[in-house]
Amino acid sequence: MSKIISTILLSAVTTVSTGATTAVNKAKQTFALVGSTSSGAGAATVNVEASNDGTNWVVLAIIGLTLSTTAAVDGFATDAAWLYVRGRVTAISGTGAAVTLTMGSLT
């Protein structure tokens, strides 16, 4: 029986940056972005990117969150098989704003 494993692609990221390349080599992943601020409102935009060679990347999805002190979450699922994935924070604002991107996949 297969079980779902979770891989952290971005962990409490507070600045515009690109996460590490993560090997996948299978189909059927889910992606969830969670973010919040320590005070007031904010916003974040994250690209979930995929590649078959680790050099040339395509955007699988753009996830935008409106942030507050209560966690916001959004995500998506894909059936496509890619060799590599990564997260890229393209914008983030707000006092103490941070986002975490996780990927779920079957073992």
Side-chain angles (χ1 to χ4, degrees), residues 1 9 11 13-14 22 25 31-32 39 43 45 49 59-60 66 70 72 78 81 84 87-88 91 94 97 99 101 104:
M1 174 184 264
L9 301 178
S11 181
V13 175
T14 60
T22 301
N25 198 23
F31 297 88
S39 174
T45 305
E49 301 175 340
V59 176
L60 291 181
T66 299
T70 302
T78 180
Y84 307 103
R88 179 190 300 267
V99 293
L101 178 66

Side-chain angles (χ1 to χ4, degrees), residues 5 9-10 19 28 47 56 58 73 75 82-83 85 104:
I5 59 168
L9 301 178
L10 298 169
K28 299 189 188 256
N47 290 358
N56 300 293
V58 298
V73 64
W82 292 94
L83 291 178
V85 295

Side-chain angles (χ1 to χ4, degrees), residues 60-99:
L60 291 181
I62 299 171
I63 304 173
L65 295 179
T66 299
L67 305 177
S68 69
T69 56
T70 302
V73 64
D74 196 6
F76 70 98
T78 180
D79 284 336
W82 292 94
L83 291 178
Y84 307 103
V85 295
R86 69 183 183 189
R88 179 190 300 267
V89 178
T90 59
I92 189 163
S93 64
T95 303
V99 293

